[in-house]
Amino acid sequence: NQGLTPSLIQNSLTGKKVVSVSCGSHHSLCLTSDGDIFSWGQNNCGQIGSGTTTNQSTPRKVSASFGGRKVIGITCGQTSSMAVLENGEVYGWGYNGNGQLGL
């Protein structure tokens, strides 16, 4: 099922103001103006942040607790994801086989 033309992504994003989007090899993240992260796609390494390795075809809110701090930036690697918080902290999840998460 290929997206050969641009299509509106709705579902859980309906009514949300998306301010940033990032894409990895087979997964995507978006950041809302409220500081919420939504993710979808392939999840073989936990890169969508759901706490499992189950793929998900529609955007779902990343349920990680960032201690009440707002996420202000997101980015994706091939099989990893990262978020920057308003206080400058950086969080990473997904594949770390080469230390790309800095853990």
Side-chain angles (χ1 to χ4, degrees):
N1 185 12
Q2 301 297 319
L4 300 178
T5 60
S7 299
L8 178 63
I9 300 171
Q10 294 183 4
N11 300 319
S12 58
L13 295 177
T14 300
K16 304 283 184 187
K17 181 179 179 184
V18 174
V19 295
S20 182
V21 176
S22 184
C23 299
S25 285
H26 302 288
H27 76 293
S28 301
L29 300 178
C30 69
L31 177 64
T32 69
S33 60
D34 295 329
D36 293 327
I37 303 170
F38 288 79
S39 62
W40 63 99
Q42 185 174 337
N43 193 34
N44 58 314
C45 297
Q47 63 266 38
I48 60 173
S50 64
T52 73
T53 55
T54 302
N55 297 342
Q56 57 189 52
S57 59
T58 58
R60 291 188 197 155
K61 186 176 174 182
V62 173
S63 59
S65 171
F66 298 112
R69 294 176 302 273
K70 186 176 181 179
V71 176
I72 60 168
I74 54 169
T75 193
C76 294
Q78 182 174 353
T79 52
S80 59
S81 303
M82 298 189 120
V84 178
L85 278 54
E86 61 188 346
N87 66 352
E89 291 179 341
V90 177
Y91 283 74
W93 59 97
Y95 185 71
N96 192 41
N98 296 303
Q100 56 269 59
L101 299 180
L103 304 175

